[in-house]
Amino acid sequence: MRRGNTDAAHGSGRCQEGLQKDNWEGHEIVGKRYRRLKLIFLCVISVCCFSACGKSEEPQQAREDQQAEKETDKEKEEPELAQKQEEEQEHRIPAPSVSGRLSVKGTQLVDEQGEAGQLKGISTHGIAWFPQYVNEELFGELHREWDVNVIRLAMYTAESGGYCTDGDKEELKELLRRGVEYAAVQDMYVIVDWHILSDNDPNLHKAEALTFFDEMTKEFAGMDHVIYEICNEPNGGTSWGEIKSYANEVIPVIRANDADAVIIVGTPNWSQYVNEAAADPLVGFENIMYTLHFYAATHTDALRDTMTAAIDAGLPVFVTEYGICDASGSGGIDEAQADAWIQVMDEYKVSCVAWNLSNKEETSAIFRSSVDKVSGFAQEDLSESGSWLYQMLTKQKEEGSL
């Protein structure tokens, strides 16, 4: 019995040992699993943290790269923008809305900021004979499509229909008023031209000139786009002294009503002898310019040299009339000489106005004589002078539709 009890005790001990062993092994397994899970958990956390850090760094790096690209692009764009602005400034067309009232500084026509500018445009023929071209549609077309920024309203003083002969004074003044208004609406400057020609000496109709300029300047005072030309082409031996005497009486009448408007004074021999004006200019007045006229097939190097010498001597010159044909206005055309004139005038910033806005059967007219329309012109409506003028004003080298 005791043996058996001893055996039972031994068996019981072995059972306890087995249980302890099993418990230990179980704890060991659980521990290993726990450590494995812990390791896996730590790995997962590490991966997540690494991934999160990477994602955090990637946008930051991308932003830095984008900022660097923007700065590089900006560095490239700034010179290009500056060059573009410089080109725009260089080719900017003066207009009353941007340039304001013009004045004369040294030999230059300048805007309200004192920047030298150049007017380029066209003159009507005699408004008594071709009144149909004084219309707002045509003025707008010339400004938008031809880059014209000045219109000259030529009112003859003598000749048939002239202001001082048998012309209708009120009708002529009304045409001028409409022309001045249309130019303002279309953002262009306008020249009121007292167009002496066959009357030779402006003193012949000085009394009428004084009355006319007093009345018109009272009406146009305060209009920054109006310029006055007081004697188109003195000729027939009229001296510079006689022209000065006339100007010294007319200019104060204008100044009494418009203290600052630009006034253009003709010169002897159909406004060619600017050298005489340069040697003895008017004194006591500001914003005065002097007229030079040329027709390219007649007037070449000699007259160009006269003009540049006068400017170099300090004379402000305005070419209020020119053509690419001969001096008759209806002869042969010389485009090479015309181009040479334009090159010199551009170099000196001399403003210039082409003759003439009509369909008269002469080579200086810009429309073909067979064309009766008064606006909405196409390339085929232009004369040879008109085609050259359009291409010169718009800087086009080849013909095309307007």
Side-chain angles (χ1 to χ4, degrees):
M1 294 296 295
R2 287 193 294 270
R3 190 176 199 176
N5 289 339
T6 302
D7 291 340
H10 285 297
S12 176
R14 285 193 299 270
C15 286
Q16 289 177 357
E17 290 175 0
L19 287 173
Q20 289 176 352
K21 184 178 180 181
D22 290 339
N23 288 337
W24 185 86
E25 289 177 349
H27 286 304
E28 181 71 18
I29 291 170
V30 170
K32 288 182 178 179
R33 288 178 179 174
Y34 172 77
R35 287 193 297 273
R36 187 179 296 117
L37 289 172
K38 183 177 180 181
L39 181 61
I40 292 170
F41 176 75
L42 290 173
C43 290
V44 170
I45 293 297
S46 300
V47 169
C48 290
C49 290
F50 179 79
S51 176
C53 291
K55 288 180 180 178
S56 176
E57 290 174 359
E58 285 175 3
Q60 178 64 26
Q61 185 62 42
R63 285 194 294 270
E64 291 177 358
D65 291 344
Q66 289 174 359
Q67 183 64 29
E69 288 177 4
K70 287 180 180 179
E71 290 176 358
T72 302
D73 292 341
K74 186 177 180 181
E75 290 174 359
K76 291 179 180 178
E77 289 171 1
E78 283 178 352
E80 293 174 0
L81 180 61
Q83 182 179 355
K84 183 179 179 182
Q85 290 174 341
E86 185 178 343
E87 290 173 355
E88 287 176 352
Q89 179 69 22
E90 182 179 350
H91 296 98
R92 183 171 66 98
I93 300 172
S97 64
V98 295
S99 302
R101 181 180 281 268
L102 303 177
S103 60
V104 180
K105 182 179 179 181
T107 63
Q108 298 292 314
L109 194 62
V110 300
D111 64 15
E112 285 186 339
Q113 289 72 46
E115 295 293 329
Q118 186 181 20
L119 300 184
K120 288 186 178 182
I122 189 165
S123 175
T124 67
H125 207 300
I127 58 174
W129 309 324
F130 297 94
Q132 66 270 32
Y133 296 106
V134 181
N135 72 78
E136 187 175 347
E137 292 77 12
L138 178 55
F139 282 20
E141 182 179 335
L142 291 170
H143 183 57
R144 291 188 310 273
E145 301 177 19
W146 294 56
D147 289 342
V148 164
N149 59 11
V150 60
I151 292 284
R152 180 183 188 235
L153 303 172
M155 187 187 72
Y156 279 75
T157 52
E159 289 79 29
S160 177
Y163 188 86
C164 300
T165 52
D166 58 353
D168 186 328
K169 286 182 172 62
E170 294 307 314
E171 183 178 340
L172 290 169
K173 286 187 288 188
E174 184 58 30
L175 275 170
L176 289 176
R177 292 184 186 102
R178 293 208 299 268
V180 168
E181 177 188 353
Y182 299 154
V185 171
Q186 298 302 328
D187 200 21
M188 293 190 290
Y189 293 96
V190 63
I191 299 172
V192 175
D193 167 33
W194 184 257
H195 200 90
I196 72 161
L197 187 61
S198 64
D199 35 353
N200 302 338
D201 185 346
N203 290 290
L204 182 63
H205 297 297
K206 181 175 64 179
E208 290 94 331
L210 293 171
T211 301
F212 170 82
F213 281 111
D214 181 50
E215 181 180 353
M216 291 293 98
T217 54
K218 283 177 179 173
E219 290 190 30
F220 300 149
M223 295 186 179
D224 291 347
H225 70 303
V226 181
I227 298 169
Y228 299 98
E229 183 176 3
I230 64 174
C231 51
N232 164 58
E233 286 184 351
N235 62 85
T238 301
S239 70
W240 173 238
E242 290 169 317
I243 298 168
K244 278 188 69 177
S245 174
Y246 166 82
N248 277 321
E249 292 191 55
V250 174
I251 292 173
V253 170
I254 296 174
R255 285 287 178 255
N257 302 315
D258 193 331
D260 300 313
V262 173
I263 299 172
I264 309 170
V265 182
T267 55
N269 197 47
W270 291 277
S271 286
Q272 293 173 42
Y273 292 172
V274 288
N275 54 306
E276 295 186 7
D280 184 23
L282 290 158
V283 295
F285 306 111
E286 295 182 349
N287 295 331
I288 304 297
M289 303 192 81
Y290 299 84
T291 309
L292 183 134
H293 290 176
F294 72 85
Y295 283 82
T298 300
H299 308 116
T300 58
D301 293 346
L303 188 56
R304 278 196 296 277
D305 291 344
T306 298
M307 181 186 74
T308 57
I311 296 171
D312 290 339
L315 194 75
V317 172
F318 196 130
V319 175
T320 59
E321 182 180 315
Y322 73 91
I324 67 171
C325 59
D326 70 16
S328 71
S330 192
I333 284 174
D334 191 332
E335 291 192 11
Q337 283 295 326
D339 292 342
W341 272 103
I342 295 298
Q343 182 178 351
V344 172
M345 289 191 294
D346 285 350
E347 179 184 348
Y348 280 83
K349 290 189 180 298
V350 174
S351 296
C352 54
V353 178
W355 181 265
N356 69 79
L357 191 63
S358 81
N359 66 344
K360 187 177 180 180
E361 195 166 352
E362 61 182 20
T363 51
S364 60
I366 70 165
F367 303 128
R368 295 182 186 275
S369 59
S370 58
V371 175
D372 294 327
K373 63 178 70 172
V374 296
S375 63
F377 292 95
Q379 188 72 40
E380 58 267 21
D381 299 324
L382 304 183
S383 67
E384 189 175 351
S385 288
S387 293
W388 177 90
L389 180 64
Y390 172 75
Q391 292 168 39
M392 183 276 292
L393 289 171
T394 60
K395 304 289 193 298
Q396 293 196 11
K397 301 301 182 183
E398 297 179 357
E399 292 187 359
S401 61
L402 298 183

